[in-house]
Amino acid sequence: MTTDSLRSGPGATGRSSRDGRGGRDGRSSRDGRGSTDGRGSRDGRHSARLPVREHLPARDSATAAATDADVPVLDVVIPVYNEEKDLRPCVVRLNGHLARTFPYPFRITVADNASTDSTPAVAAALAEELPGVRYARLEEKGRGRALRTVWSASDAPVLAYMDVDLSTDLNALLPLVAPLISGHSDLAIGSRLARSSRVVRGPKREFISRAYNLILRSSLAAGFSDAQCGFKAIRREVAERLLPMVEDSGWFFDTELLVLAERAGLRIHEVPVDWIDDPDSTVHIVRTATEDLKGVWRVGRALAVGALPLDRLARPFGDDPRDRALTGVPRGLARQLVGFCFVGALSTLFYLALYSLFRLGVGPQIANGGALLVAAVANTAANRRLTFGVRGRGGAVRHQAQGLVVFAIGLALTSGSLAALGTASGAPSHGTELAVLITANLAATVLRFLLLRAWVFPERRTTERDDVEAPLAATAALPVRNESEDVR
């Protein structure tokens, strides 16, 4: 357990209402779409959908600094540990930059995670001195822990963080958060590896950074370019859904958050940044790299077995055009056909290879039955995940049982074809057997797709009751964090 004490400066804001819509504490609805709290309650019940992304209302530039009467649009968190030397120059510079250039109310939160030097005193003095600066104290170390704690308590609709050394040029801050303010994107990251980025750092750090991102692309199929740049932002309602799923409390926190967001289909905006390495950085490269690799293995294993409940964020926004049904066009049919053809092609090759292998020791009927059985189990598992998008272990046994019924039909077609061939020609050649089997499998494939789509993995017809109550069981399983609890 940790203690999170918040100290606000003269201009720091509380949890007041915004534009008459009601404050976050009141859990009030927004334009009739339901609450935007972390559990997405609607009339006391859970909802699996995030609220529709909206462009936040514009403010007059004269009110850019946060006041007691207005909730800030942006909350920038600066996680620190023993940064008594750099903290004041960083906060003063950031506060001045935002006051001059940012057209919305803002807040700066210093998240001190268990500093043992005079950092707490410096942070408390800044909170008393500068409008819109807040100080949070945690008694345990961990950048991820600090971000989780402060972001979870913040009432700002856009949450960001940056490193205390301000290695990233502050001119990238407004481009970073603009897509979140406009409602275009869900998360935004600064990238030092974009083509137009201008970066000054040593070859050792450059190599480590590029090698780490290459590992993420090859092992977790990550599409973002820079996981560890200390310059990121996220919409609050997205953070409220993602944070309970992130286990790491250290440096891997960023990567895990981004991987989960990307796998859930959220939109990540990347901003090329100008970045200068801090030669006095206290980050322990070897230890950090080791912990990151452990995190990659943990998340990769969870994704492989379907243990992550990413379906809680599937189709997260009501303004997704893919949610709009077209009359007379079955939803997802084109994608399912592509996936089924791809899986079918691989399954056919796998089946033919098995048949040829089994045929070396047994007769054609036994070889065909064994090869088709093994291929059918693999085919059902692949189609379940890749073609019809079923995640997790729920219903897997039933799906395999139904798949075996489909297998029996395919077996009847192919075995019947072999029997007919044997009756017609007596002792057919191996090539003739393969040709007949390919033809029979083409017919069985069409029937297999129809049965899988209509019977094994049928498209669920949603109703208004389904939209509200069907996700209840999964969403209710989200851990609810009280004020005295931080992270696992």
Side-chain angles (χ1 to χ4, degrees):
M1 299 291 182
T2 63
T3 302
D4 178 19
S5 57
L6 300 180
R7 303 177 183 177
S8 302
T13 60
R15 297 179 181 273
S16 57
S17 62
R18 184 171 74 235
D19 296 338
R21 291 171 181 165
R24 180 171 177 261
D25 286 346
R27 307 292 189 203
S28 61
S29 62
R30 184 170 65 188
D31 298 336
R33 293 183 177 92
S35 168
T36 60
D37 66 282
R39 294 172 295 282
S41 61
R42 180 188 297 166
D43 299 329
R45 293 178 292 188
H46 296 288
S47 169
R49 288 181 180 271
L50 291 170
V52 175
R53 292 178 297 217
E54 295 179 331
H55 195 307
L56 298 175
R59 302 297 204 282
D60 187 276
S61 59
T63 63
T67 65
D68 289 332
D70 200 5
V71 173
V73 169
L74 174 66
D75 191 349
V76 182
V77 180
I78 304 175
V80 294
Y81 172 73
N82 289 347
E83 297 287 355
E84 59 183 2
K85 176 182 177 182
D86 295 332
L87 181 56
R88 171 170 285 275
C90 165
V91 173
V92 171
R93 179 183 167 195
L94 176 60
N95 184 73
H97 176 83
L98 289 172
R100 291 192 311 271
T101 65
F102 194 68
Y104 291 88
F106 63 86
R107 176 194 296 140
I108 300 172
T109 302
V110 179
D112 170 30
N113 44 326
S115 292
T116 57
D117 60 0
S118 61
T119 296
V122 175
L126 288 168
E128 293 294 329
E129 175 185 343
L130 297 177
V133 175
R134 187 173 67 166
Y135 163 50
R137 168 72 179 183
L138 292 87
E139 299 302 334
E140 293 183 65
K141 291 179 61 177
R143 182 178 68 172
R145 175 177 286 108
L147 292 177
R148 180 199 302 274
T149 302
V150 177
W151 279 356
S152 298
S154 180
D155 53 356
V158 177
L159 311 170
Y161 95 89
M162 60 180 59
D163 293 334
V164 69
D165 55 15
L166 294 186
S167 295
T168 305
D169 184 4
L170 292 179
N171 287 327
L173 182 55
L174 183 55
L176 180 80
V177 301
L180 309 186
I181 292 174
S182 70
H184 173 271
S185 300
D186 309 313
L187 299 91
I189 64 174
S191 176
R192 299 162 295 183
L193 302 180
R195 289 182 179 274
S196 57
S197 297
R198 293 189 287 266
V199 177
V200 177
R201 61 176 167 182
K204 180 180 179 181
R205 286 182 176 270
E206 180 76 11
F207 172 78
I208 292 175
S209 179
R210 292 189 178 276
Y212 179 63
N213 282 279
L214 180 61
I215 291 173
L216 293 181
R217 287 178 178 272
S218 59
S219 61
L220 300 180
F224 46 86
S225 65
D226 193 349
Q228 291 288 25
C229 181
F231 194 69
K232 294 181 175 68
I234 186 172
R235 286 177 70 98
R236 186 187 71 207
E237 64 265 24
V238 177
E240 288 171 337
R241 296 296 181 91
L242 279 179
L243 290 180
M245 301 183 188
V246 180
E247 294 186 17
D248 192 81
S249 60
W251 291 95
F252 188 69
F253 173 89
D254 302 51
T255 302
E256 188 170 357
L257 184 74
L258 291 174
V259 170
L260 296 183
E262 188 174 63
R263 288 301 184 98
L266 302 183
R267 181 174 289 163
I268 301 175
H269 178 72
E270 295 198 15
V271 178
V273 297
D274 298 341
W275 194 86
I276 301 177
D277 191 13
D278 179 14
D280 299 325
S281 174
T282 58
V283 177
H284 193 290
I285 296 178
V286 176
R287 183 172 63 244
T288 301
T290 302
E291 293 301 318
D292 285 346
L293 291 177
K294 290 180 180 179
V296 169
W297 168 255
R298 173 176 55 80
V299 173
R301 182 177 57 183
L303 290 172
V305 301
L308 294 174
L310 297 180
D311 55 327
R312 298 176 190 169
L313 289 173
R315 298 270 67 79
F317 294 105
D319 61 348
D320 194 319
R322 292 170 294 180
D323 286 333
R324 301 171 188 171
L326 298 178
T327 303
V329 179
R331 293 177 59 185
L333 178 59
R335 182 189 61 79
Q336 289 176 358
L337 281 172
V338 172
F340 181 79
C341 290
F342 176 74
V343 172
L346 294 180
S347 298
T348 300
L349 294 176
F350 182 51
Y351 160 75
L352 293 175
L354 287 176
Y355 176 80
S356 298
L357 179 63
F358 293 164
R359 190 67 177 84
L360 297 176
V362 296
Q365 292 290 2
I366 298 178
N368 174 66
L372 194 59
L373 176 61
V374 176
V377 173
N379 181 276
T380 299
N383 276 311
R384 182 178 187 269
R385 182 174 182 84
L386 301 178
T387 303
F388 298 99
V390 179
R391 299 291 189 268
R393 300 176 182 177
V397 175
R398 176 175 58 83
H399 293 154
Q400 283 292 349
Q402 291 172 310
L404 289 178
V405 175
V406 177
F407 150 75
I409 297 174
L411 178 61
L413 283 174
T414 53
S415 296
S417 299
L418 282 176
L421 177 62
T423 302
S425 59
S429 65
H430 182 65
T432 303
E433 287 180 353
L434 290 180
V436 170
L437 286 175
I438 290 173
T439 303
N441 268 285
L442 288 177
T445 296
V446 176
L447 183 59
R448 185 183 303 117
F449 176 76
L450 296 176
L451 289 174
L452 288 177
R453 192 172 197 273
W455 180 50
V456 183
F457 309 107
E459 178 183 353
R460 185 170 185 180
R461 304 296 179 184
T462 58
T463 63
E464 183 177 355
R465 180 181 179 87
D466 291 332
D467 289 338
V468 176
E469 296 184 356
L472 176 59
T475 310
L478 280 168
V480 179
R481 191 180 311 282
N482 58 42
E483 293 182 356
S484 64
E485 181 183 9
D486 280 327
V487 297
R488 290 176 286 277

